[in-house]
Amino acid sequence: MNIGDAAQLSGLPAKTIRYYEDIGLIEPLRSANGYRSFRETDLHKLTFLGRARSLGFTIDDCRTLLTLYRDRARASADVKHVAQDHLACIDRKIVELTEMRRTLSHLVEACAGDDRPDCPILADLAAVVPGQSCARQSN
Amino acid sequence: MNIGDAAQLSGLPAKTIRYYEDIGLIEPLRSANGYRSFRETDLHKLTFLGRARSLGFTIDDCRTLLTLYRDRARASADVKHVAQDHLACIDRKIVELTEMRRTLSHLVEACAGDDRPDCPILADLAAVVPGQSCARQSN
DNA sequence: CTTATGCTTCCAGTCATAGGAAGGTCAAGC
DNA sequence: GCTTGACCTTCCTATGACTGGAAGCATAAG
């Protein structure tokens, strides 16, 4: 199976698949003509990766999960641990975004949104908040 | 005022401040020795930027907001528009994350988390979902 | 005079790809 | 046999928003 089919079936762009090979997540065979040749197991891994990425796992998480997946003697506790860590991370992000949303929606509501030059949004953004040293984001 | 003080007062790393000058968000003066010299207005802008960034506005949003901020004849409607767009974007992210959280927490709950090799998390990640062509994320 | 801190510029790296150029391969149609 | 077009290859560059580090001045304290 060539990369095009693998892309179609896994739902990942060909570019991404090549990248995943580059960083050692998959190791497809090569045909005589130099084309990548994907086996069932490769496709399986790609689908796994696509799903894990769409759930927000980092590439590094994926590497760990793939190793655990291949390891028949793994403990499910290990996997659960990775997943729980990620869940906690998601929760933090949700809290952060909700906080952001609340602040911003207050500002939007307070803004008349007409032609007058006064704007509470800008006024607030410009206000020097005294103790905001930990307001920075991890992004 | 040198960059160190500006960093301290604005809460932004010096590196970030230099970067902001690089991309034209601020234009501090220069002392005779070549050091950047920050005025009140520069500090004001930096604080503005730090606050806007921590609310999740992109650098491009910040550029727009700074322009609107300097322009005394601006319409608050313009600002409101930028803010509302961003609010919608935040809402989308929250929905996405909540969805993710729900799926993942189901998986975590279903996982025994012991020494047995069976793990529903891995099983689900490996499962080929039939019509998942739009599962990919914008990141 | 030394030491230490602070400032400068410039170059490279991060993450997870995406875009595109230059060129080889393959199947179909004429 | 030849052309066309789709598909594949590698390699290089760009993204966003910084961060890290090296090499080299400037300045203050002891």
Side-chain angles (χ1 to χ4, degrees):
Chain A
M1 187 192 308
N2 286 348
I3 200 169
D5 302 316
Q8 190 106 47
L9 291 172
S10 68
L12 296 171
K15 277 271 184 196
T16 303
I17 295 177
R18 289 195 196 97
Y19 172 68
Y20 285 172
E21 184 189 16
D22 238 45
I23 62 174
L25 284 179
I26 51 167
E27 287 182 67
L29 301 175
R30 292 291 176 142
S31 305
N33 57 13
Y35 287 15
R36 287 172 186 80
S37 178
F38 294 83
R39 290 154 294 183
E40 270 306 307
T41 57
D42 297 317
L43 196 58
H44 215 154
K45 277 193 192 175
L46 287 175
T47 310
F48 184 105
L49 288 168
R51 183 121 174 76
R53 292 286 300 123
S54 85
L55 279 174
F57 287 97
T58 65
I59 290 286
D60 239 37
D61 286 339
C62 289
R63 209 182 291 275
T64 306
L65 289 172
L66 269 184
T67 308
L68 291 171
Y69 184 57
R70 269 188 319 190
D71 178 10
R72 304 213 144 276
R74 89 234 159 189
S76 67
D78 294 339
V79 182
K80 189 169 188 170
H81 188 70
V82 175
Q84 272 173 332
D85 275 4
H86 184 51
L87 195 55
C89 176
I90 290 177
D91 281 343
R92 278 197 303 278
K93 280 189 191 165
I94 290 177
V95 167
E96 247 177 49
L97 279 175
T98 306
E99 184 67 28
M100 237 183 247
R101 206 217 110 84
R102 205 163 48 82
T103 305
L104 199 55
S105 93
H106 281 163
L107 292 177
V108 167
E109 275 164 32
C111 178
D114 55 17
D115 287 340
R116 278 175 298 156
D118 300 313
C119 176
I121 297 174
L122 290 178
D124 180 277
L125 286 177
V128 180
V129 183
Q132 57 110 49
S133 58
C134 64
R136 302 269 52 236
Q137 242 191 316
S138 62
N139 213 359
Chain B
M1 185 193 306
N2 286 348
I3 200 169
D5 303 315
Q8 190 106 49
L9 291 172
S10 67
L12 296 171
K15 275 273 184 192
T16 303
I17 295 177
R18 288 195 197 97
Y19 171 67
Y20 285 172
E21 184 189 17
D22 239 44
I23 61 174
L25 284 179
I26 52 166
E27 287 181 67
L29 301 174
R30 293 290 177 142
S31 305
N33 58 12
Y35 286 16
R36 286 172 185 80
S37 178
F38 294 82
R39 292 154 292 183
E40 270 306 305
T41 57
D42 297 317
L43 197 57
H44 214 153
K45 276 193 193 176
L46 287 175
T47 311
F48 185 104
L49 287 169
R51 184 120 172 77
R53 291 287 299 123
S54 85
L55 279 173
F57 287 97
T58 65
I59 291 286
D60 239 38
D61 285 338
C62 290
R63 209 182 289 276
T64 306
L65 289 171
L66 269 183
T67 308
L68 292 170
Y69 185 58
R70 269 188 321 191
D71 177 11
R72 304 212 143 277
R74 90 239 158 187
S76 66
D78 295 339
V79 182
K80 189 169 187 170
H81 187 70
V82 175
Q84 272 174 332
D85 275 3
H86 185 50
L87 196 54
C89 178
I90 290 176
D91 281 343
R92 278 195 303 276
K93 279 188 192 165
I94 290 177
V95 167
E96 245 177 52
L97 280 175
T98 306
E99 184 67 27
M100 235 183 249
R101 206 218 108 86
R102 208 162 47 83
T103 305
L104 199 56
S105 92
H106 280 163
L107 291 178
V108 167
E109 276 164 32
C111 178
D114 54 18
D115 288 340
R116 277 174 297 156
D118 300 313
C119 177
I121 298 173
L122 291 179
D124 180 278
L125 286 177
V128 179
V129 183
Q132 56 110 46
S133 58
C134 65
R136 301 268 54 232
Q137 239 191 319
S138 63
N139 214 359

